[in-house]
Amino acid sequence: MLFKKNPETEPPSDTAFLAWTALDRIGIRQFDEEHKELVNFINQFHEAMVIRRNRVKAEEIFEKLIHATRNHFSNEEALLGERGFPDRASHAKQHSDLVVEITNLHRQFKEGSLSAMMLLTYLKNWLIHHTKESDRQYAVWLKTRGLV
Ligand SMILES: [Fe+2]
Ligand SMILES: [Fe+2]
C-alpha cells in the first residue's frame, strides 16, 4: 500500500537537505553535538524556505543558525586557546572569515540577488569541508596528547 506523505506532519528528516552522516564525528562530544545542531538548523532553513516557502520562518531559523555558529566558534576557540593548539590563530581566522561571508551572503539573499539554494549550498559545503578537515586536525592533535 502506498503511504501518502503529509508535508505538514512529516518530520524534517524525511526531507533533510544535509544528512548528518555526511559529517564524520570528530570525537569530541560537545563539538559533535554542536555540529549536529548546525546541520539541523541548515535543514530547518531548507525546509522552511525551499519546501514550505515560509520566508518569515526561514529568517527566524537563519538568525538561530548564525547565533549557534558564533557560539560554536567561540567554544572551539576557547578550548584551542586553553590547550595551546599551535594553529589556533589560523583556525579562528577561518571562523571569522565565515561569519563575514555568511553575513554578506545573507544580505544578498535578503536583497533577492542570491537564491536560497545558493546560500544553502555554500553553508553545506563550508560545514562539511571545515568539519571534516580543519576541525579534525585540532581533534587529532588534542586526542593524541590526551587533552580531551
Ligand atoms: Fe566546528
Ligand atoms: Fe572550527
Side-chain angles (χ1 to χ4, degrees), residues 52-103:
R52 299 181 197 261
R53 312 248 173 223
N54 184 339
R55 202 169 181 112
V56 173
K57 181 76 182 167
E59 262 312 306
E60 274 174 30
I61 295 165
F62 203 86
E63 294 301 329
K64 289 181 186 172
L65 170 64
I66 290 179
H67 183 73
T69 301
R70 286 179 185 276
N71 271 348
H72 169 62
F73 287 169
S74 36
N75 291 341
E76 280 189 352
E77 287 163 29
L79 183 74
L80 298 185
E82 280 167 22
R83 302 294 195 266
F85 178 60
D87 292 333
R88 60 189 181 276
S90 79
H91 197 92
K93 173 78 166 59
Q94 289 179 31
H95 289 167
S96 61
D97 286 349
L98 176 78
V99 171
V100 170
E101 189 69 13
I102 289 185
T103 307

Side-chain angles (χ1 to χ4, degrees), residues 7 12 14-17 43 45-54:
D14 270 24
T15 52
F17 171 72
N43 284 331
F45 177 77
H46 174 263
E47 188 183 357
M49 190 63 216
V50 178
I51 298 174
R52 299 181 197 261
R53 312 248 173 223
N54 184 339

